[in-house]
Amino acid sequence: MFPVLKKLAGFYNYYVLVILTLGYLTAELGHFLIGVTSKATAIDILYGDITCQLNKTEPHFNLTLNDLCVAAIDEASCADLTLDDGERFCEWNRNGLGIDYQLLAGPSFIAVYTIVGVFLGIAADKYRRVPMIAICVLVCGISVVLMGATQTFWQLIILRMIFAAGEAGLNPMSTGVLSDLFSEDLRGLVMSIFNWGIYGGIGLSFPVGRYITELNAWDLGWRVAYYGSGIVALIIGALTCTTLKEPPRTEIGEETEENADQIGQSAEEIKKKKENPWKVMLQPRFIMLCIAASIR
């Protein structure tokens, strides 16, 4: 090995943390983009409610004018609303909301994510996780790119479901890999950094979805945001596949067993203290954590 590579080898675990966090971030970005681009997407591929709403005549949001728009019950009354100079400040158009949007953002994603996540979590305990993580990130990337090319609402629904299946495996598999790479005294910090991916993805979805859409690059509008996000995810997936290696599995508490002699306990005594995972899952504190996470 080259001397430089030898020196960099000490940073490998942190490199894995960065790649896995970026993979999670790009997945979350693709997940929440629809909430920001929904109106532009709905106008383009025709879904959601059609209502009277404030247009972009006013540079800043005007609550009074907005209330007048909302009060209009049909296209004719919406068109009659004008400023003193005769300029219309309302538009009769799709708002990207309604039952269609709820189906797109909610059940189509959550149902697949919840069910597939359980099976991928089981797979993570039995098979090599790094290749599966790479596949999950690539599935997310391909799905997001194809969302940018979609022409119908139902194509978007199907792609969201495929995307959900890909994202579902990232958390259980990535946290498993990180737990094996880092010692117990660092796992809390490592997991907190990894979870930056959630909030980084959510946070980036707003500027990416809004400002890139407004740029209307190549006259593609909202689609560019999806193409760009998907391509970044594909790059991260390729790096995951080619540069990460499967770490040896470390059972939680294994470090304690290795040091059992130092605290006057045998490995057998330590093992007796380990709880059955099903027993842990039925504990009230675990159930309360699940409920809290589901409504946060």
Side-chain angles (χ1 to χ4, degrees):
M1 183 183 291
F2 295 107
V4 175
L5 294 179
K6 279 187 176 181
K7 292 180 180 179
L8 293 176
F11 295 97
Y12 171 76
N13 289 358
Y14 297 97
Y15 169 76
V16 174
L17 173 59
V18 170
I19 292 297
L20 294 182
T21 302
L22 289 176
Y24 200 21
L25 186 151
T26 55
E28 289 294 325
L29 172 58
H31 176 184
F32 288 98
L33 263 182
I34 190 62
V36 185
T37 66
S38 184
K39 181 178 178 179
T41 306
I43 292 172
D44 196 0
I45 64 174
L46 308 180
Y47 72 83
D49 294 345
I50 301 176
T51 62
C52 186
Q53 53 201 295
L54 197 65
N55 63 22
K56 294 185 178 180
T57 301
E58 291 292 313
H60 303 290
F61 182 80
N62 187 309
L63 183 59
T64 302
L65 296 182
N66 181 70
D67 289 343
L68 291 173
C69 293
V70 172
I73 59 174
D74 54 35
E75 187 173 3
S77 58
C78 183
D80 289 339
L81 296 172
T82 60
L83 298 172
D84 293 338
D85 59 3
E87 186 175 12
R88 293 175 58 182
F89 59 87
C90 294
E91 63 177 355
W92 184 259
N93 210 339
R94 297 180 185 273
N95 61 9
L97 301 176
I99 296 297
D100 288 345
Y101 174 73
Q102 292 174 29
L103 178 63
L104 182 63
S108 67
F109 182 91
I110 295 170
V112 176
Y113 185 92
T114 303
I115 296 171
V116 174
V118 173
F119 289 101
L120 290 180
I122 294 172
D125 291 332
K126 296 183 178 181
Y127 306 107
R128 296 178 63 214
R129 296 154 296 179
V130 169
M132 289 192 289
I133 292 171
I135 291 171
C136 286
V137 177
L138 291 172
V139 166
C140 288
I142 293 170
S143 300
V144 172
V145 170
L146 292 177
M147 283 182 209
T150 191
Q151 298 297 324
T152 68
F153 174 69
W154 290 107
Q155 288 175 356
L156 195 57
I157 286 282
I158 292 170
L159 289 170
R160 282 277 292 179
M161 295 173 73
I162 296 172
F163 176 87
E167 187 182 355
L170 292 180
N171 193 297
M173 294 179 188
S174 297
T175 52
V177 168
L178 293 173
S179 294
D180 290 339
L181 287 174
F182 291 91
S183 59
E184 283 185 305
D185 59 330
L186 288 175
R187 283 177 192 152
L189 174 62
V190 167
M191 295 306 169
S192 66
I193 293 173
F194 172 71
N195 280 299
W196 285 354
I198 301 174
Y199 305 104
I202 296 172
L204 282 174
S205 67
F206 289 95
V208 170
R210 178 179 177 181
Y211 297 116
I212 291 183
T213 298
E214 290 180 353
L215 283 175
N216 196 27
W218 303 288
D219 201 31
L220 292 173
W222 61 275
R223 298 179 186 273
V224 177
Y226 285 81
Y227 291 147
S229 301
I231 289 170
V232 172
L234 291 175
I235 293 171
I236 298 299
L239 288 174
T240 303
C241 182
T242 57
T243 64
L244 303 192
K245 57 185 179 181
E246 183 75 16
R249 294 179 185 267
T250 302
E251 187 176 347
I252 299 298
E254 195 169 286
E255 297 99 327
T256 308
E257 290 178 15
E258 292 175 354
N259 298 318
D261 292 337
Q262 297 178 12
I263 58 175
Q265 290 180 304
S266 67
E268 191 64 31
E269 290 174 325
I270 299 285
K271 285 182 179 179
K272 287 181 180 179
K273 294 182 179 180
K274 292 182 181 178
E275 296 186 83
N276 185 292
W278 292 106
K279 184 178 178 181
V280 173
M281 291 174 66
L282 293 175
Q283 290 180 357
R285 59 186 176 183
F286 184 87
I287 295 172
M288 291 302 296
L289 282 172
C290 290
I291 295 173
S294 67
I295 62 176
R296 70 175 175 86

